[in-house]
Amino acid sequence: MVAFGKKLKERQIQEWQRYYINYKLMKKKVKHYSRQIEIGALDRRHVLKDFSRMLDNQIETTVLFLLEQQGLLANRIAVLGKQQEVISNISELREAYRDVGRDLLKLLSFVEINAIGLRKILKKFDKRFGYKFTNYYVKTRANHPYSQLQQVFKHVGLGAVVGAISRNLSDLQERQGSYLSIYDQPTLPLQDPVVDSIKAAADRLNYSTNFLEFLGQHALIMQQEELPTPSEDQVDDDRYHFMSLLLNLANTFLYMVNTYIIVPTADDYSMSLGAAPTVCGIVIGAMAVAQVFSSVYFSAWSNKSYFRPLVFSSIVLFVGNVMYALAYDFNSIAVLILGRLCCGFGSARAVNRRYISDCVPLKIRMQASAGFVSASALGMACGPALAGLLQIDFRFYKLTINKNTLPGWVMSVAWLVYLVWLWISFREPAFPTEENNTAEVNAGPTDSEEVEKGLAQPLLLSSAENQQDGDDEDEECDASEEAPEESRRPANSLRSAYRLLTPSVKVQLLIYFMLKYVMEILLSESSVITTYYFSWSTSKVAIFLACLGLTVLPVNIVVGSYISNMFEDRQILMASEIMVFLGIILSFHIFVPYSVPQYVISGLIMFVSAEVLEGVNLSLLSRVMSSRLARGTYNGGLLSTEAGTIARVIADATITLAGYLGESRLLNITLLPSLVICITSIFATCYTYNSLY
């Protein structure tokens, strides 16, 4: 598999070659800067100034040529518009418009390749020097009134040309007695292969130049910046099935409901079975313990199937919830914990992420990723809220139905209904065979592929097509040089995946561990703490937890749409860590009587700050993690899931162990590890960024 530089050169239109951004030249310039800084010949200010000027010149050359070509296309369309009134041969006129459309495809390819090359070289500069130069450069250039960068990333003029070609071809269709245009009936399909190709290319271009990817990156469904072949887009369309995507999002939602529906009543349930209320830590954490292992085998299973893992997940979760509900009548804390373990073994979140990254087409992948985040947030809020509504007590034959057992019965019914829906509606996507992959590599491009040659889309590259970022950074790859096959293979074990992590990525995983630990402590011990200090009922605890859960989506929307455009990610990261630290400090019970306002305000500060931190942290992870972790069993999503799950396990174990010292000491003892881990992550962040900057 060839390196990015060679791919870029192969996709370029030869007669336009001098107008492309010179990726190879800028790559050599970055290496030159690195050597000069090492020997002390250049300082940071000079490097930034010189590289900015070079980028400005490159972009100016590209944009001026782009405007010239847009003008030529517009002039041809205007001439054809005048001829339309005179020429009676409709088919000849249609073909002339299609010729313009084919030339427009070339221009769209030109813009796309330049946009990807620009993003690639900015990322390379950031990783080499750690200056976060991309944020500065894009903000200062894109927001300027004379911005040339806007022509690359907004391409308004190209949209007008696309509209003109589409409208005229639509008007030339035989519609007897109809005077309606595409503007009067925007949903009216225009059956023309050239227009379809143009629209698909424009969609890909819109996606690849969109910087507002915060919610989707929150899901850690990693994005690629390479140049895939046109056939890959067709593969995505063939594998995609809307109902199957909906079933994956429903699985995500139900699993999050299942996780948090027992939190308000877990302490009461433990006490009713003769255990201490703080055993709720083990009951809640048992699901996370099992998820540590289930994430791995579900991730591996999704290499071969999506349907069978989801069926298995539904059955296991159904059985686990039935066991959880029956534990009351069996009067067995062991059955209760085994039921929760069983539920954890049914965690198919790795499959849900994988389906979105592998089977959802480019044009809706970011929406699907945001849907994954939204489903998780909604499930987190609905779980405790639902528990607050299940306040009934009666017997049905020999079964006890009360606030402790109802969460298990309700979720078992929900998973049974989901299983039936899954069996009826899910469509297993076709998995490429090794023979097909070989044939694709050996086969030459078809005529239709030649039309769209070079139209790139930022989808997730398969591991076989991705090049390790570290290799691309450190090796001087000639444009014709072949990249070693080994450097493109996905990690085949957790150990090999760990070796691919840079120090900055390890710090970000530490931050993720910290925020999950803090959130789990807050949520899991809430029923015990509020009962001990404030004598809250189950309903009040449920309302408090539901309100916390409802903040997730609005907070991420605000951060993704506004705050991330005003501040650099590292600034938001540090500010969020400090706010989590302050929330922990405010939560301690030291001198004054512990009050409801102190607990609620400190809890809200901790939770909201941790949510902001999670969004920014995962957004950074999705951009800087090695591309070899984009796919395969041991991918970036799995690593982050494992870090978060282990944090939850340790937090729940901490609650149970601290409970042996008495409920009066539970709050402060569980907050101490949170404080230590938070301070460690802050120092690690400061050290990492100080070494980079």
Side-chain angles (χ1 to χ4, degrees):
M1 190 60 61
V2 295
F4 177 78
K6 184 176 181 182
K7 254 188 200 180
L8 197 64
K9 187 174 181 180
E10 287 176 349
R11 300 299 176 92
Q12 291 178 354
I13 300 168
Q14 292 304 312
E15 58 267 29
W16 294 356
Q17 195 165 8
R18 62 196 177 103
Y19 301 108
Y20 284 91
I21 287 175
N22 195 331
Y23 176 80
K24 185 179 179 181
L25 172 66
M26 289 191 290
K27 180 179 173 182
K28 289 181 176 179
K29 197 73 172 176
V30 169
K31 288 187 71 69
H32 171 72
Y33 290 145
S34 179
R35 295 192 192 99
Q36 292 297 307
I37 288 176
E38 285 176 4
I39 63 175
L42 290 176
D43 61 8
R44 169 183 168 176
R45 185 182 296 274
H46 177 84
V47 168
L48 293 178
K49 184 177 179 180
D50 192 53
F51 193 64
S52 296
R53 186 188 296 112
M54 185 172 70
L55 275 177
D56 290 340
N57 292 335
Q58 293 275 331
I59 292 171
E60 183 176 278
T61 301
T62 298
V63 168
L64 292 177
F65 178 75
L66 171 63
L67 293 174
E68 178 188 346
Q69 292 301 310
Q70 283 180 202
L72 293 174
L73 291 176
N75 184 60
R76 288 170 62 186
I77 293 173
V79 171
L80 288 174
K82 294 176 182 178
Q83 293 177 351
Q84 193 168 335
E85 302 173 0
V86 181
I87 297 178
S88 58
N89 191 337
I90 299 298
S91 60
E92 181 181 332
L93 204 53
R94 271 196 210 135
E95 194 56 37
Y97 274 113
R98 287 182 184 131
D99 285 340
V100 178
R102 293 185 185 98
D103 287 340
L104 176 60
L105 276 172
K106 295 179 181 178
L107 196 58
L108 288 169
S109 169
F110 174 80
V111 177
E112 179 74 2
I113 291 173
N114 279 292
I116 292 178
L118 177 61
R119 254 196 342 264
K120 193 84 174 174
I121 198 64
L122 285 170
K123 180 180 177 182
K124 185 180 295 293
F125 189 90
D126 282 354
K127 292 186 74 173
R128 175 73 71 171
F129 302 106
Y131 291 160
K132 280 292 176 185
F133 175 72
T134 299
N135 289 347
Y136 163 77
Y137 188 82
V138 172
K139 286 179 182 178
T140 54
R141 268 59 176 178
N143 296 328
H144 195 276
Y146 306 133
S147 171
Q148 293 178 329
L149 198 61
Q150 289 282 9
Q151 289 292 329
V152 179
F153 289 117
K154 297 299 180 186
H155 41 81
V156 177
L158 284 175
V161 177
V162 172
I165 294 173
S166 302
R167 184 189 68 79
N168 283 284
L169 280 174
S170 176
D171 290 345
L172 289 172
Q173 281 189 344
E174 296 180 0
R175 297 202 193 106
Q176 296 180 357
S178 174
Y179 297 94
L180 298 176
S181 73
I182 59 172
Y183 304 113
D184 300 310
Q185 294 184 343
T187 59
L188 193 67
L190 175 57
Q191 302 297 331
D192 192 284
V194 173
V195 172
D196 290 341
S197 297
I198 291 172
K199 287 180 178 177
D203 286 342
R204 289 194 291 267
L205 187 55
N206 283 328
Y207 183 94
S208 69
T209 57
N210 180 17
F211 281 93
L212 301 178
E213 299 176 349
F214 186 85
L215 269 183
Q217 289 171 330
H218 194 162
L220 201 64
I221 297 168
M222 298 170 67
Q223 310 300 320
Q224 60 91 5
E225 294 184 4
E226 287 282 1
L227 296 171
T229 61
S231 61
E232 289 176 340
D233 202 23
Q234 181 63 40
V235 170
D236 277 329
D237 288 334
D238 291 342
R239 302 184 76 192
Y240 173 65
H241 182 229
F242 173 75
M243 189 58 70
S244 300
L245 171 61
L246 195 61
L247 282 160
N248 273 279
L249 296 180
N251 184 280
T252 298
F253 169 76
L254 286 176
Y255 186 79
M256 293 302 290
V257 172
N258 211 146
T259 301
Y260 290 100
I261 194 173
I262 72 155
V263 173
T265 58
D267 58 333
D268 287 340
Y269 205 167
S270 301
M271 291 174 65
S272 68
L273 299 180
T278 51
V279 173
C280 70
I282 291 180
V283 175
I284 296 170
M287 201 166 173
V289 171
Q291 191 180 340
V292 172
F293 304 99
S294 67
S295 296
V296 177
Y297 67 72
F298 271 115
S299 183
W301 203 349
S302 63
N303 290 326
K304 299 180 179 179
S305 174
Y306 299 103
F307 176 68
R308 289 191 291 273
L310 290 176
V311 169
F312 177 78
S313 166
S314 306
I315 294 172
V316 170
L317 281 157
F318 169 77
V319 173
N321 281 290
V322 169
M323 291 176 66
Y324 182 86
L326 290 176
Y328 190 91
D329 293 305
F330 285 128
N331 194 30
S332 172
I333 191 72
V335 173
L336 185 70
I337 295 172
L338 284 174
R340 288 293 287 179
L341 279 170
C342 198
C343 289
F345 283 122
S347 172
R349 287 173 67 81
V351 179
N352 305 145
R353 277 195 180 103
R354 191 73 177 274
Y355 184 88
I356 293 173
S357 68
D358 289 0
C359 302
V360 176
L362 161 70
K363 55 189 176 185
I364 63 167
R365 183 166 298 164
M366 191 53 66
Q367 294 95 312
S369 302
F372 178 87
V373 176
S374 303
S376 300
L378 189 60
M380 187 178 183
C382 287
L386 188 58
L389 298 174
L390 303 177
Q391 300 297 306
I392 57 176
D393 191 352
F394 66 94
R395 290 187 67 84
F396 180 74
Y397 291 100
K398 295 183 179 181
L399 300 177
T400 302
I401 309 295
N402 58 25
K403 65 178 183 179
N404 295 327
T405 62
L406 261 176
W409 292 121
V410 168
M411 292 311 303
S412 61
V413 171
W415 285 112
L416 189 60
V417 172
Y418 175 81
L419 180 60
V420 174
W421 181 25
L422 179 73
W423 195 271
I424 294 172
S425 303
F426 192 87
R427 188 179 77 188
E428 181 79 278
F431 281 79
T433 62
E434 192 171 322
E435 291 80 5
N436 289 342
N437 290 337
T438 305
E440 271 185 29
V441 171
N442 294 333
T446 63
D447 292 339
S448 61
E449 286 173 340
E450 286 293 340
V451 172
E452 297 187 45
K453 186 178 182 182
L455 290 176
Q457 64 250 39
L459 307 180
L460 288 167
L461 278 180
S462 63
S463 302
E465 292 175 317
N466 244 334
Q467 182 177 7
Q468 183 183 358
D469 287 344
D471 292 344
D472 192 38
E473 292 292 325
D474 299 326
E475 294 175 14
E476 184 68 35
C477 296
D478 187 77
S480 61
E481 184 180 42
E482 298 243 344
E485 184 181 350
E486 181 65 30
S487 69
R488 300 175 185 276
R489 290 177 181 170
N492 55 13
S493 67
L494 283 174
R495 184 178 179 182
S496 61
Y498 182 80
R499 289 175 178 170
L500 295 174
L501 303 181
T502 62
S504 60
V505 173
K506 291 176 182 177
V507 169
Q508 286 169 250
L509 287 175
L510 171 63
I511 294 171
Y512 192 64
F513 177 92
M514 179 273 291
L515 67 91
K516 284 297 181 183
Y517 183 93
V518 170
M519 290 171 71
E520 189 70 10
I521 289 289
L522 173 66
L523 298 175
S524 295
E525 71 177 12
S526 58
S527 58
V528 180
I529 296 298
T530 54
T531 300
Y532 177 78
Y533 286 105
F534 318 127
S535 300
W536 278 9
S537 64
T538 300
S539 297
K540 286 186 178 179
V541 178
I543 292 171
F544 172 67
L545 294 177
C547 290
L548 288 181
L550 287 172
T551 64
V552 174
L553 197 56
V555 164
N556 279 295
I557 290 174
V558 170
V559 174
S561 301
Y562 301 103
I563 297 178
S564 63
N565 294 326
M566 297 167 60
F567 302 98
E568 294 182 13
D569 286 346
R570 67 187 181 92
Q571 294 173 323
I572 303 173
L573 196 75
M574 182 59 69
S576 301
E577 286 184 275
I578 293 172
M579 289 304 296
V580 171
F581 171 78
L582 292 177
I584 295 172
I585 293 294
L586 290 174
S587 296
F588 277 97
H589 178 209
I590 303 176
F591 302 114
V592 297
Y594 207 54
S595 64
V596 172
Q598 180 184 354
Y599 178 75
V600 171
I601 292 171
S602 60
L604 193 62
I605 291 172
M606 267 196 295
F607 190 84
V608 171
S609 302
E611 272 302 317
V612 174
L613 187 59
E614 181 176 9
V616 176
N617 192 53
L618 289 182
S619 178
L620 285 168
L621 270 175
S622 68
R623 293 203 297 267
V624 302
M625 198 172 278
S626 170
S627 57
R628 287 177 62 185
L629 297 173
R631 282 190 179 179
T633 300
Y634 302 94
N635 52 61
L638 176 65
L639 292 180
S640 64
T641 299
E642 292 292 85
T645 304
I646 292 171
R648 289 171 52 204
V649 170
I650 296 174
D652 291 323
T654 303
I655 293 171
T656 300
L657 293 174
Y660 288 107
L661 300 177
E663 291 182 46
S664 61
R665 299 180 179 179
L666 177 66
L667 179 66
N668 288 346
I669 290 175
T670 53
L671 286 174
L672 278 174
S674 302
L675 185 64
V676 172
I677 299 171
C678 185
I679 293 173
T680 303
S681 72
I682 291 174
F683 275 107
T685 304
C686 290
Y687 176 79
T688 301
Y689 280 108
N690 284 337
S691 63
L692 291 175
Y693 287 82

